[in-house]
Amino acid sequence: MTHIEGTLDRLWDYNDPHASEHKFRDLLKQESDHHIEILTQISRALGLQRKFTEAHSVLDEVASLPKDPRIKVRYLL
């Protein structure tokens, strides 16, 4: 498991996707090297909040960026 994977896993609270979204947005401000992967998690958190239009908007941004296989899986989730 990479550093960012562990960080993302620790930030998730599936019972409170709103709080998770904000944690990911805070992390996005700090972690420029992993912004694509963090965006996938923001989109996922938005989807869990039933904010589908916003979630798809974030995914549209991610779709245009190159992805390694791990990020592609997160994107597809």
Side-chain angles (χ1 to χ4, degrees), residues 58-77:
V58 173
L59 283 181
D60 288 344
E61 181 180 347
V62 171
S64 66
L65 302 170
K67 294 171 276 306
D68 69 30
R70 187 183 74 246
I71 294 172
K72 186 172 182 174
V73 169
R74 289 190 185 271
Y75 169 81
L76 293 172
L77 285 172

Side-chain angles (χ1 to χ4, degrees), residues 42-70:
I42 291 171
S43 177
R44 191 171 177 196
L46 288 165
L48 289 172
Q49 295 173 72
R50 305 188 62 78
K51 297 179 179 179
F52 302 119
T53 301
E54 291 175 62
H56 282 287
S57 177
V58 173
L59 283 181
D60 288 344
E61 181 180 347
V62 171
S64 66
L65 302 170
K67 294 171 276 306
D68 69 30
R70 187 183 74 246

Side-chain angles (χ1 to χ4, degrees), residues 4 7 13 24 59:
I4 193 64
T7 300
D13 179 350
F24 294 133
L59 283 181

Side-chain angles (χ1 to χ4, degrees), residues 30-55:
Q30 304 165 23
E31 279 283 350
S32 61
D33 292 343
H34 302 283
H35 73 279
I36 299 170
E37 194 161 5
I38 296 166
L39 286 173
T40 65
Q41 300 308 287
I42 291 171
S43 177
R44 191 171 177 196
L46 288 165
L48 289 172
Q49 295 173 72
R50 305 188 62 78
K51 297 179 179 179
F52 302 119
T53 301
E54 291 175 62

